[in-house]
Amino acid sequence: MGTTKTAKAVKKARTTNDKAGKAARGKPSWRAPSGAAKVLEHLKVAFAFLVWIALVRQQASAIVNWQMYYAHALVATAALAVGSVVVVYTYPPRTARWRTIVWTFFASSAGGALVYAALGGRAGLFGALLSGAVVLWARAEERGRRAVRRLRAR
């Protein structure tokens, strides 16, 4: 069985970047991001980090008794914010880096608030750090996706 002329034309259209190839696939060809797009990615990470730092006081008051443990809370939440930026650049996630930072903020706030409501004291700090670390572990280098695939395979 040999290939037909139309099959050859479709194959050629898929491998070239001319207008016929774009029309045959129905979408534009992949291009490397421009310099402005790369800078914008880093600006989004910086913005997500700055929003988190601006909300550190509110996050800390939700996860610990603010009057007694304000220094611990500020240091722990700020360290988690800085650590999340380091992790997303060291172990890039599959999705956008800024999304990982935002998810870490939400998870650490919710986890810390739940543990603080259940146990009180400084337990909210432990809950916030633990839930933030779990999100960073799961999103860094697709570890969470691989773990889910392994569980489904069983």
Side-chain angles (χ1 to χ4, degrees):
M1 273 181 81
T3 58
T4 63
K5 288 183 181 182
T6 56
K8 287 181 181 179
V10 169
K11 184 176 180 181
K12 182 179 179 186
R14 287 185 182 157
T15 57
T16 61
N17 281 334
D18 59 358
K19 291 182 182 179
K22 290 179 185 177
R25 289 187 306 261
K27 60 183 179 180
S29 65
W30 181 86
R31 289 188 294 172
S34 66
K38 290 179 183 177
V39 170
L40 188 61
E41 290 175 19
H42 300 300
L43 287 177
K44 287 178 186 178
V45 169
F47 183 70
F49 174 74
L50 290 176
V51 167
W52 190 345
I53 293 298
L55 295 175
V56 160
R57 166 73 169 84
Q58 287 76 17
Q59 182 187 20
S61 64
I63 62 175
V64 74
N65 184 356
W66 176 253
Q67 290 78 17
M68 292 179 67
Y69 304 112
Y70 67 92
H72 302 115
L74 289 177
V75 169
T77 53
L80 186 59
V82 171
S84 67
V85 172
V86 170
V87 167
V88 298
Y89 277 103
T90 307
Y91 305 102
R94 185 176 183 180
T95 58
R97 290 179 171 121
W98 69 270
R99 289 183 186 173
T100 300
I101 293 172
V102 171
W103 275 114
T104 305
F105 170 73
F106 286 139
S108 64
S109 298
L114 289 173
V115 172
Y116 176 61
L119 302 175
R122 286 182 286 186
L125 289 175
F126 178 71
L129 292 173
L130 185 64
S131 58
V134 166
V135 169
L136 287 174
W137 174 85
R139 290 185 63 100
E141 291 187 339
E142 299 184 47
R143 289 188 184 110
R145 292 175 193 267
R146 281 187 253 151
V148 168
R149 275 191 232 121
R150 283 188 206 126
L151 288 174
R152 286 183 181 168
R154 289 183 183 185

